[in-house]
């Protein structure tokens, strides 16, 4: 299959590109590099021996997207391109709505023009909002996002569903990711956020590496076993493989289907932190601070549908996630 990856040089896109190439597919990448480096292309080539065709362009740019579709026979698209920082989306909501919605609309219009009928979309567990009980399953109502970023995901899911209703021969898989962490075992690609990380795992790794002084654990007075929040962390390589299963599924089914990609387990902030310290033999100073606005006590998947429909489930452990995240930092900061 010849697959277009929008945002394919980002964290999840680059790992998915590696798994796609390993599985014998071909990859074309479009990325505007607003949150990625061109050097990731070299790393993908180093890992797989294959250099995917790359277009430095914005997925909102209709002419650029048409050029990509006219120069390549695209069988399917995985749409990763998007802005993803929750806090930033509250400060600059219009940029989030513009980028995330426009890139999707331009993509769908271009796919329609070129007769491409298979789409895998990067959605998020954030669409379950604050009111559903865990574990989240795909039948639950998803009507209330809590921030502009989350609204873009909920809106895009709706846009895709409406498009599929009008085009019943189209196939869309809406993958709702939980908390991707870890890195490729080579240590060449991984999560490399600009500035101070918002997310837990890259923050822990930078404290361990001495770039940041200490971790603040945001609250230990939640109604959870150790008082800290529970999240469904999954290894990014497992997540990447889920996309290949979703592409296979999209090839034989039509309609729009939301599917959780998670482990089904809730892991606390302190469990993740102590596992990181133990498996890597490093020191990670931390303090307990107040709660972070908007955090839910619990967020984890019911992962049954992915296993039933995609024949996919996670294989890697929390130890693997911690080891590979640290390996990436060690190799990357040399
Ligand atoms: P990332 O920022 O590393 O990757 C996104 C990529 O898209 C970047 O390379 C960026 O340069 C590119 N991009 C953004 N807007 C673009 C545009 N208009 N045109 C072309 N390229 C553009 O993020 P990621 O963690 O790899 O996430 C990938 C997708 O998965 C995003 O849509 C994100 O919202 C979603 N997601 C991520 C997480 C997570 O925790 N990482 C969780 C749930 C969902
Ligand atoms: N945390 C800390 N200290 C930190 C950073 C995080 O204690 O410095 C805690 C948070 O309070 C939370 C947990 O670690 O309890 C995980 O936080 P992350 O920011 O890593 O992840 P979230 O679950 O808050 O959010 C992530 C993505 C969102 C996505 C959401 C649901 O960042 O984009 O998962 O999929 F919407």
């Amino acid at each position: 299959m010849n697959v277009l990856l929008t945002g394919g040089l980002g964290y999840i896109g680059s790992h998915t590109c590696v798994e796609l190439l390993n599985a014998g597919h071909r990859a074309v990448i479009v990325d505007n590099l607003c949150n990625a480096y061109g050097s990731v292309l070299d790393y993908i080539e180093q890992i797989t021996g294959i250099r995917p065709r790359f277009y430095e362009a914005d997925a909102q740019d209709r002419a650029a997207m048409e050029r990509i579709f006219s120069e390549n026979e695209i069988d399917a698209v995985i749409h990763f391109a998007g802005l993803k920082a929750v806090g930033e989306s509250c400060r600059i909501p219009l940029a989030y709505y513009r980028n995330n919605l426009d890139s999707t609309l331009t993509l769908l219009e271009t796919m329609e023009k070129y007769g491409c009928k298979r789409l895998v979309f990067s959605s998020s567990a954030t669409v379950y909002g604050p009111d559903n009980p865990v574990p989240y399953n795909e039948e639950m109502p998803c009507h209330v996002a809590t921030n502009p970023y989350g609204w873009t995901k909920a809106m895009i899911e709706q846009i895709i569903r409406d498009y599929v209703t009008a085009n019943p021969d189209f196939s869309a898989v809406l993958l709702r990711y939980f908390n991707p962490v870890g890195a490729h075992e080579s240590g060449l690609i991984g999560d490399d956020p600009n500035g101070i990380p918002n997310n837990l795992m890259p923050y822990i790794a930078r404290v361990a590496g001495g770039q940041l002084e200490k971790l603040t654990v945001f609250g230990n007075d939640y109604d959870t076993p150790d008082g800290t929040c529970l999240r469904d962390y999954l290894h990014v390589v497992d997540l990447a493989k889920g996309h290949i299963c979703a592409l296979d599924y999209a090839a034989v089914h039509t309609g729009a289907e939301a599917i959780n990609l998670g482990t089904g387990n809730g892991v606390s902030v302190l469990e993740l932190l102590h596992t990181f310290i133990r498996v890597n033999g490093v020191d990670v100073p931390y303090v307990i601070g107040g709660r972070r606005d908007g955090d839910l006590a619990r967020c984890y998947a019911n992962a049954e549908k992915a296993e039933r429909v995609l024949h996919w489930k996670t294989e890697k452990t929390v130890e693997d996630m911690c080891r590979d995240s640290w390996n990436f930092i060690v190799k990357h900061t040399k």
Side-chain angles (χ1 to χ4, degrees):
M1 220 183 294
N2 201 19
V3 184
L4 174 65
L5 293 82
T6 73
L9 291 188
Y11 173 47
I12 303 169
S14 57
H15 287 83
T16 303
C17 186
V18 165
E19 296 307 321
L20 259 180
L21 297 172
N22 285 344
H25 297 294
R26 281 164 292 142
V28 177
I29 292 175
V30 56
D31 198 303
N32 65 1
L33 302 184
C34 72
N35 197 33
Y37 299 101
S39 53
V40 171
L41 202 61
D42 302 329
Y43 297 138
I44 292 171
E45 184 177 10
Q46 234 172 295
I47 295 168
T48 64
I50 301 166
R51 192 173 185 84
R53 193 162 195 184
F54 172 57
Y55 293 83
E56 183 179 340
D58 196 304
Q60 300 170 81
D61 179 342
R62 187 177 305 271
M65 293 300 281
E66 292 212 4
R67 194 176 140 224
I68 294 167
F69 274 82
S70 65
E71 290 179 0
N72 302 276
E73 288 262 325
I74 304 293
D75 301 306
V77 180
I78 312 181
H79 183 34
F80 299 103
L83 301 175
K84 65 164 183 176
V86 171
E88 187 183 62
S89 79
C90 298
R91 290 192 299 278
I92 49 167
L94 297 183
Y96 271 66
Y97 285 114
R98 173 68 72 193
N99 187 72
N100 294 3
L101 297 185
D102 258 11
S103 59
T104 306
L105 292 169
T106 304
L107 172 66
L108 284 170
E109 286 167 354
T110 314
M111 289 176 73
E112 179 166 73
K113 183 165 176 183
Y114 287 85
C116 183
K117 295 179 195 298
R118 272 180 249 160
L119 176 67
V120 175
F121 171 61
S122 299
S123 190
S124 166
T126 192
V127 300
Y128 288 108
D131 299 327
N132 284 305
V134 289
Y136 298 139
N137 73 62
E138 294 84 349
E139 306 307 314
M140 289 174 168
C142 297
H143 300 314
V144 191
T146 52
N147 56 72
Y149 165 73
W151 275 116
T152 69
K153 293 295 178 193
M155 288 176 180
I156 293 169
E157 283 202 5
Q158 188 59 42
I159 289 169
I160 294 172
R161 284 181 196 285
D162 289 343
Y163 182 72
V164 170
T165 302
N167 297 274
D169 59 343
F170 194 91
S171 181
V173 185
L174 315 172
L175 294 178
R176 294 178 177 164
Y177 310 156
F178 281 72
N179 289 57
V181 296
H184 189 264
E185 61 179 8
S186 64
L188 288 170
I189 53 174
D191 193 7
D192 192 14
N194 292 327
I196 296 176
N198 296 306
N199 296 119
L200 181 60
M201 184 66 102
Y203 204 105
I204 290 175
R206 294 225 182 141
V207 174
Q211 296 100 323
L212 292 169
E213 190 195 335
K214 59 177 185 295
L215 171 75
T216 301
V217 174
F218 295 141
N220 68 346
D221 57 352
Y222 287 95
D223 177 22
T224 60
D226 67 14
T228 66
C229 295
L230 302 179
R231 292 290 180 273
D232 189 338
Y233 300 98
L234 77 161
H235 198 292
V236 67
V237 172
D238 278 335
L239 178 67
K241 290 177 178 165
H243 292 75
I244 319 301
C245 300
L247 284 173
D248 291 341
Y249 177 72
V252 293
H253 282 80
T254 54
E257 199 79 68
I259 303 180
N260 291 338
L261 292 187
T263 64
N265 302 317
V267 171
S268 78
V269 174
L270 288 177
E271 272 175 271
L272 189 77
L273 173 66
H274 290 306
T275 306
F276 189 99
I277 292 170
R278 177 169 52 78
V279 302
N280 295 317
V282 291
D283 192 24
V284 182
Y286 70 94
V287 291
I288 305 291
R291 293 184 177 194
R292 183 171 71 175
D293 273 355
D295 273 344
L296 299 173
R298 296 155 201 270
C299 174
Y300 51 90
N302 175 324
E304 286 167 16
K305 185 173 179 184
E307 192 166 352
R308 180 165 38 83
V309 173
L310 300 182
H311 312 295
W312 172 92
K313 64 177 183 187
T314 57
E315 289 170 355
K316 292 184 182 275
T317 63
V318 176
E319 281 80 2
D320 296 329
M321 303 175 204
C322 291
R323 194 178 307 110
D324 291 339
S325 293
W326 178 233
N327 182 44
F328 171 70
I329 288 288
V330 170
K331 295 249 166 69
H332 218 67
T333 47
K334 259 186 198 164

